[in-house]
């Protein structure tokens, strides 16, 4: 394609050139290609008069899918403009590969581990161990499949479990389980590289979930989540595990509570642990239950780590950042909670505690083990 170039071609182009990062300003400020300027994709037209016609211009979005149309448009209008194939996602892969080839790897791994115990001890490590103790998530003799999707939450969970196994008192075993439901090559390689960087010995198995849900018109995300969990349970049981650990955090919990009320007309919470109904003897645990997402992000950024955001085929091409919660109900609730916390910082804690302070005597109806109870049943007693 005439308006597309690889990073190798960019590196080989020794002319005076311009690299434009067309992702959001927030993403650009966190990290970008050396020497790149930032103009968000939707603002390109407003800056068109500033584009030089005597030098090549390279556009970099997150995956290369968004920038290609803009590059072709300007290419056809007299500009030597190219979209960088694979976008920032590919550039990150190049950076990680360079790191893997250096002697710095072992020290980087140690620094990342130390940050969990030292720098983020209060916000992350102590809340992790508190959840394990308060909700009795681990018992002696457990063999836990730590399920890694490749995102920040599952990756920090894997490191926390690894540190707990090294320094804790529990007699348990771990399997670091990665399911490949059909990742593209760049996302899969990012997971493998990050696991190596973090010193996590992963076990990878494949499934065809993305191929299956790709043809589902209604609610494919719900079906994908159910299928992924079923495959994880099955593989974990095959490996002799009795528990799977998922990376849902505190913010997932309070968002679930509000989503149920506002969009589902029901009061329910995301539980810290659950017995599987389909896999006898298996249990699901959520050890990040008390950890705020913002603290996970702070740990990630402190260590200059770059994880995949969303690897789903259905979302990776619909947002410049490679798959976000923009436009989703959960995204709306996340923004609502953030706005409420600006007014009163205890709002999030109150939402979380509301599921622990339920007064059944003041409820019109409630369900327990599938049986519906109404206040009129005992009103005249």
């Amino acid at each position: 394609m005439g308006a597309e170039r690889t990073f190798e071609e960019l590196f080989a182009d020794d002319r005076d050139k311009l690299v434009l990062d067309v992702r959001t300003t927030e993403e650009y400020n966190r990290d970008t290609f050396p020497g790149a300027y930032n103009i968000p994709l939707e603002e390109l037209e407003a800056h068109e008069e500033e584009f030089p016609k005597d030098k090549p211009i390279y556009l970099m979005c997150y995956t290369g899918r968004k920038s290609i149309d803009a590059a072709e448009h300007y290419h056809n209008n007299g500009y030597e403009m190219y979209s960088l194939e694979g976008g920032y996602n590919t550039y990150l892969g190049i950076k990680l590969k360079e790191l893997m080839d250096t002697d710095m790897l072992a020290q980087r791994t140690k620094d990342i581990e130390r940050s969990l115990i030292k720098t983020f001890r209060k916000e992350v490590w102590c809340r992790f161990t508190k959840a394990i103790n308060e909700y009795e998530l681990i018992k002696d003799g457990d063999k836990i499949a730590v399920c890694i999707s490749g995102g920040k939450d599952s990756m920090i969970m894997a490191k926390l479990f690894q540190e707990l196994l090294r320094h804790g008192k529990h007699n348990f075993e771990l399997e670091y389980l990665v399911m490949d439901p059909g990742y593209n090559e760049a996302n899969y390689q990012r997971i493998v590289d990050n696991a190596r960087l973090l010193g996590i010995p992963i076990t990878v198995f494949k499934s065809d979930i993305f191929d299956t849900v790709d043809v589902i018109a209604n609610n494919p995300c719900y079906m994908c989540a159910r299928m992924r969990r079923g495959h994880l349970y099955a593989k974990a049981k095959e490996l002799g595990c009795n528990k799977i650990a998922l990376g849902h955090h505190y913010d997932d919990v309070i968002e679930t509570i509000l989503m149920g009320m506002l969009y589902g007309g029901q009061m329910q919470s995301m539980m810290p642990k659950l017995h599987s109904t389909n896999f006898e003897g298996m249990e699901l645990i959520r050890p990040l239950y008390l950890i705020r997402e913002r603290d996970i992000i702070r740990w990630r950024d402190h260590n200059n780590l770059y994880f995949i955001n969303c690897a789903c085929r259905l979302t990776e091409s619909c947002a410049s950042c490679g798959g976000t919660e923009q436009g989703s109900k959960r995204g709306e609730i996340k923004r609502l909670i953030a706005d409420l916390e600006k007014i009163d910082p205890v709002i999030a804690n109150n939402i979380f505690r509301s599921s622990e302070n339920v007064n059944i005597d003041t409820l019109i109806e409630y369900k327990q083990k599938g049986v519906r109870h109404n206040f009129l049943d005992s009103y005249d007693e």
Side-chain angles (χ1 to χ4, degrees):
M1 192 174 293
E4 190 172 43
R5 291 290 184 272
T6 65
F7 276 91
E8 287 76 12
E9 290 173 305
L10 168 65
F11 296 143
D13 189 347
D14 57 4
R15 296 174 294 168
D16 184 23
K17 53 188 175 291
L18 177 66
V19 178
L20 292 180
D21 187 334
V22 296
R23 298 175 302 148
T24 66
T25 300
E26 180 182 1
E27 292 164 335
Y28 168 82
N29 288 337
R30 183 169 180 243
D31 185 56
T32 190
F33 185 86
Y37 294 91
N38 178 228
I39 301 179
L41 189 64
E42 62 274 12
E43 298 177 19
L44 280 180
E45 186 175 351
H47 293 268
E48 183 174 340
E49 293 183 358
E50 303 170 23
F51 297 158
K53 285 194 173 183
D54 59 346
K55 65 173 64 174
I57 304 171
Y58 292 84
L59 302 184
M60 181 180 73
C61 69
Y62 193 87
T63 64
R65 295 172 182 263
K66 293 288 185 178
S67 56
I68 186 64
D69 289 339
E72 288 182 339
H73 168 75
Y74 288 106
H75 199 83
N76 294 333
N77 284 278
Y79 294 91
E80 188 182 353
M81 186 176 289
Y82 307 106
S83 170
L84 285 166
E85 184 180 331
Y88 178 74
N89 203 17
T90 294
Y91 171 62
L92 271 186
I94 295 170
K95 286 179 62 174
L96 278 172
K97 187 177 186 304
E98 290 175 349
L99 177 62
M100 298 305 168
D101 294 337
T102 69
D103 296 331
M104 296 171 53
L105 181 60
Q107 186 58 49
R108 280 275 281 133
T109 304
K110 288 181 181 179
D111 290 342
I112 293 167
E113 293 170 349
R114 189 179 298 114
S115 72
L116 283 175
I117 306 299
K118 300 292 185 180
T119 310
F120 296 94
R121 184 176 187 85
K122 179 180 178 181
E123 300 92 339
V124 176
W125 175 254
C126 290
R127 289 180 178 273
F128 172 73
T129 56
K130 180 181 179 181
I132 286 173
N133 293 325
E134 187 168 318
Y135 302 117
E136 300 178 356
L137 301 184
I138 301 177
K139 295 181 179 179
D140 288 345
D142 279 344
K143 186 173 183 181
I144 305 167
V146 182
C147 301
I148 300 172
S149 67
K152 66 185 189 314
D153 306 326
S154 62
M155 283 295 192
I156 195 174
M157 178 178 67
K159 282 307 296 179
L160 287 166
F161 264 118
Q162 194 175 55
E163 291 301 298
L164 184 66
L165 191 62
R166 289 172 179 166
H167 308 297
K169 298 179 181 178
H170 291 284
N171 175 27
F172 64 93
E173 299 178 66
L174 296 174
E175 287 279 354
Y176 300 96
L177 197 57
V178 175
M179 179 180 64
D180 179 359
Y183 293 134
N184 64 41
E185 184 178 349
N187 281 328
Y188 176 76
Q189 191 60 47
R190 179 90 62 82
I191 294 172
V192 172
D193 289 344
N194 277 322
R196 185 182 171 195
L197 173 60
L198 296 175
I200 300 170
I202 58 175
T203 297
V204 181
F205 73 101
K206 293 184 178 293
S207 72
D208 59 355
I209 291 177
F210 281 178
D211 286 334
T212 302
V213 301
D214 200 26
V215 297
I216 297 176
N218 297 320
N219 210 355
C221 295
Y222 171 77
M223 183 59 66
C224 181
R226 285 185 61 87
M227 293 179 66
R228 286 163 72 101
R229 187 170 301 181
H231 279 71
L232 289 168
Y233 268 127
K235 186 63 177 181
K237 192 165 187 177
E238 177 187 318
L239 294 172
C241 299
N242 64 311
K243 293 180 179 178
I244 65 170
L246 301 185
H248 297 119
H249 47 65
Y250 184 98
D251 292 80
D252 290 321
V253 178
I254 61 177
E255 289 161 14
T256 297
I257 293 171
L258 274 192
M259 284 179 67
M261 295 173 62
L262 300 182
Y263 298 123
Q266 58 186 342
M267 175 63 190
Q268 63 179 18
S269 182
M270 177 182 283
M271 300 298 287
K273 63 181 182 180
L274 292 167
H275 289 293
S276 172
T277 55
N278 297 318
F279 294 85
E280 186 178 355
M282 296 293 293
E283 193 174 355
L284 180 155
I285 61 174
R286 295 184 169 107
L288 305 187
Y289 202 78
L290 300 178
I291 301 176
R292 293 300 304 262
E293 183 179 25
R294 64 193 178 205
D295 293 321
I296 298 174
I297 292 172
R298 286 178 56 235
W299 168 82
R300 178 199 67 187
D301 294 350
H302 173 83
N303 289 289
N304 293 315
L305 296 169
Y306 301 91
F307 304 116
I308 63 174
N309 290 324
C310 178
C312 179
R313 291 179 191 165
L314 301 176
T315 59
E316 65 184 359
S317 63
C318 69
S320 63
C321 65
T324 69
E325 292 173 333
Q326 282 188 327
S328 70
K329 296 302 182 185
R330 184 169 291 276
E332 291 175 8
I333 292 296
K334 186 183 291 291
R335 291 189 290 275
L336 173 62
I337 293 174
D339 290 341
L340 290 172
E341 282 194 285
K342 293 175 184 176
I343 300 171
D344 190 340
V346 304
I347 288 290
N349 184 64
N350 286 343
I351 297 171
F352 185 89
R353 295 302 173 194
S354 70
S355 65
E356 300 178 340
N357 297 311
V358 178
N359 187 344
I360 292 180
D361 292 333
T362 66
L363 296 182
I364 302 297
E365 284 193 351
Y366 68 93
K367 288 194 297 185
Q368 186 174 30
K369 295 183 177 180
V371 179
R372 187 176 295 275
H373 302 271
N374 188 284
F375 85 105
L376 291 175
D377 297 340
S378 57
Y379 180 75
D380 291 323
E381 293 181 2

